[in-house]
Amino acid sequence: MSPQETSDFQTRLVEWFHQHQRPLPWRIHYDPYEVWVSEIMLQQTQVTTVLPYYQRWMEALPTIHSVAQADEDTVVKLWEGLGYYSRVRNLQKAARVICDDHGSVFPQDFETILALPGIGRYTAGAVASIAFNQDRPVVDGNVIRVVCRLEDLRDDPKSAAMTKRLWELAADWIPSGEARYFNQGMMELGATVCHVQQPSCLLCPVQSFCKSYHAGSVDQVPAKVKRVKSKLRTTLMALIHKDGSFLIQKRPVGQLMGGLWEFPNLHVTSEQKLEKSLQSEVLKQWGIQVEVKERIATIKHGYTSYKVTLHGYYCVFQSGNLKLSQDIPREWVPLKDLGQYSFPAAQVKLIQKLQKHMEILCAC
Ligand code: SF4
């Protein structure tokens, strides 16, 4: 774009943002803590999904200090269902750094923001520009799509050369002193108008600047990147009942979904002899003899890198002493209290099935 076109484009986009932005709670005060939490929650997650989590989080933890003071189980529970649990653990680490090193005030200096745990170039740019209105670029999935189409860039947007180009363009286009609205305008346009499929070009405020629109190439831009096929995993879950309680253990931090709780389980490659394998694995790993009664649910759930099929088996404790380990807490928890613990999303569904199963059993 020529300098004049760039200036007209900036004006058009910022005006459109002021008129058409969605009213979101973190856009009321532009408080850095609120912007930061919203940005971490929004990574890989849509606004509509994030909103109830955000409200719940702010009611429970209204300040950076309260995040720093909270115990880890509380913050993980508030995050349950959002996935990518390392994000919430890093958020808490960063809150503690802010309290210890910056007097509980979110730092304004870009390099200092970037040095906080869990904050990369995107999040640092988002907080610096949206909360502090600094002229810093942001490039997320929405911005990539919008920039590629505006400039009709057809190369793989994930390549190193394109990444560099996209960040440069996103920085060059910021109208000085307007980064807060311009950056959000780019993201909002991508989220609400310039959709992945069937973008609403006829309603687009910057259509006249869009090279892909004029070239008729919108549906080919950005270039499609080949998706890696998700791995499939089958897991048997032992829902072991003893005196009204069920056995759960905490996943070690550092593992996938570390810090969340889970039922005793076993990954299998074939669905043959499921009950027998589960019974012997529970004895081997947990040191207790159980009777595997029946399969009460089969849950299919997709995570980012794999799809899992969970077979939940209702089991009854027979004998033995539970093996305890310092690294992996194990507890017998009453059914009604399981909801207070954080589980991976697929096992939350399994708990609902277990509650129904127990209601039926008790009614018999
Ligand atoms: Fe996206 Fe269409 Fe607007 Fe171009 S004209 S930016 S493709 S919505």
Side-chain angles (χ1 to χ4, degrees), residues 149 193-194 199 201 204 207 210 213 218:
R149 286 173 173 169
V193 178
C194 192
C201 298
C204 178
Q207 182 209 83
C210 181
Y213 178 77
V218 168

Side-chain angles (χ1 to χ4, degrees), residues 161-206:
M162 274 286 280
T163 300
K164 185 167 176 285
R165 179 105 192 263
L166 291 165
W167 278 91
E168 283 168 2
L169 283 168
D172 289 349
W173 285 349
I174 295 172
S176 184
E178 294 276 1
R180 170 179 291 162
Y181 305 115
F182 179 81
N183 284 353
Q184 289 191 93
M186 290 288 280
M187 293 192 272
E188 195 80 345
L189 190 74
T192 63
V193 178
C194 192
H195 306 290
V196 177
Q197 283 167 351
Q198 299 179 330
S200 308
C201 298
L202 296 179
L203 301 173
C204 178
V206 292

Side-chain angles (χ1 to χ4, degrees), residues 4 34 105 107 163 178 209 214 226 277 325-326 334 343 357:
Q4 186 56 52
E34 295 180 355
V105 177
T163 300
E178 294 276 1
F209 305 95
H214 293 298
K226 269 196 184 160
S277 335
S325 118
Q326 271 192 334
F343 287 85
H357 183 76

Side-chain angles (χ1 to χ4, degrees), residues 32-43 53-54 57-58 61-70 72 75-76 78-79 82-99 106 116-119 123 127:
Y33 169 57
E34 295 180 355
V35 172
W36 171 41
V37 171
S38 73
E39 285 298 334
I40 301 291
M41 285 188 171
L42 284 166
Q43 288 167 18
Y53 283 95
Y54 176 86
W57 179 281
M58 286 300 162
L61 304 169
T63 62
I64 296 175
H65 187 71
S66 59
V67 180
Q69 294 287 307
E72 189 185 311
V75 297
V76 172
L78 287 164
W79 207 267
L82 275 175
Y84 304 96
Y85 291 89
S86 57
R87 291 184 298 171
V88 69
R89 267 190 291 277
N90 278 328
L91 198 149
Q92 188 173 43
K93 276 188 207 157
R96 288 175 177 161
V97 172
I98 294 169
C99 289
F106 200 98
L116 292 170
I119 295 199
T123 309
V127 177

